[in-house]
């Protein structure tokens, strides 16, 4: 099915909104909630590694990731959109319950890049920076 570019972009941005609402300690996720934005089977590519995922395995990952997490927000840097797909280049800002923050710093070697495809065929690339010893803010 063909969609307009605006429709496809809005679906991609809806996934980021879903993350903002659901990726925190207080949220309760289940496979149906994961299915709101992700297909039955999809691929996640964190830091150059490639993983086949299902809603069940991604739910396990998300529940582990969001433990102790206050929230996540994004800066959308670039979008590539056609009538069928979207690629977003984003910087992810993650805050934790213990007041730690992971903030973007693309020039640092401690940065990490993650890509994932949503159920709508959209590809997300995010970069976050975990403050580690030896890294200057």
């Amino acid at each position: 099915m063909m969609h307009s570019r605006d429709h496809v972009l809005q679906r991609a941005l809806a996934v980021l909104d879903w993350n903002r609402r659901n990726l925190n300690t207080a949220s309760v996720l289940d496979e149906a909630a994961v299915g709101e934005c992700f297909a039955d089977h999809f691929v996640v590519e964190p830091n150059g590694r490639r993983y086949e995922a299902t809603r069940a395995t991604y739910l396990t990952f998300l529940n582990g990731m969001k433990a102790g997490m206050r929230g996540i927000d994004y800066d959308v840097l670039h979008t590539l959109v056609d009538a069928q797909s979207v690629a977003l280049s984003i910087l992810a800002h993650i805050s934790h319950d213990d007041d730690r923050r992971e903030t973007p710093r693309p020039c640092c070697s401690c940065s990490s890049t993650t890509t994932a495809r949503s159920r709508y065929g959209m590809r997300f690339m995010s970069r976050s920076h975990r403050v580690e010893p030896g890294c200057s803010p």
Side-chain angles (χ1 to χ4, degrees):
M1 176 194 300
M2 297 293 285
H3 296 285
S4 73
R5 292 173 48 143
D6 288 339
H7 175 77
V8 173
L9 179 59
Q10 291 309 309
R11 296 297 289 254
L13 297 176
V15 174
L16 299 183
D17 289 338
W18 185 93
N19 286 352
R20 287 181 185 105
R21 285 190 316 276
N22 291 290
L23 298 184
N24 60 73
T25 303
S27 70
V28 177
L29 291 177
D30 57 21
E31 284 186 44
V34 173
E36 292 173 14
C37 290
F38 294 93
D40 292 333
H41 295 84
F42 56 98
V43 174
V44 180
E45 299 173 332
N47 301 319
R49 296 180 308 269
R50 181 180 170 90
Y51 299 102
E52 299 286 329
T54 65
R55 289 180 184 163
T57 60
Y58 203 54
L59 173 63
T60 300
F61 166 77
L62 290 175
N63 280 327
M65 183 180 83
K66 71 185 191 69
M69 192 170 152
R70 185 175 297 144
I72 189 166
D73 201 5
Y74 302 95
D75 292 329
V76 177
L77 303 176
H78 304 282
T79 60
L80 297 173
V81 185
D82 65 23
Q84 296 179 23
S85 62
V86 175
L88 299 176
S89 174
I90 58 179
L91 294 177
H93 304 272
I94 301 171
S95 60
H96 297 272
D97 291 341
D98 63 4
D99 293 328
R100 284 181 304 120
R101 294 187 181 277
E102 296 178 43
T103 56
R105 187 167 171 97
C107 61
C108 180
S109 62
C110 298
S111 296
S112 63
T113 303
T114 302
T115 62
R117 288 190 189 275
S118 77
R119 76 179 289 170
Y120 309 111
M122 298 160 202
R123 185 175 177 130
F124 297 90
M125 298 176 287
S126 68
R127 180 172 290 263
S128 65
H129 174 73
R130 186 181 318 270
V131 178
E132 298 178 4
C135 287
S136 58

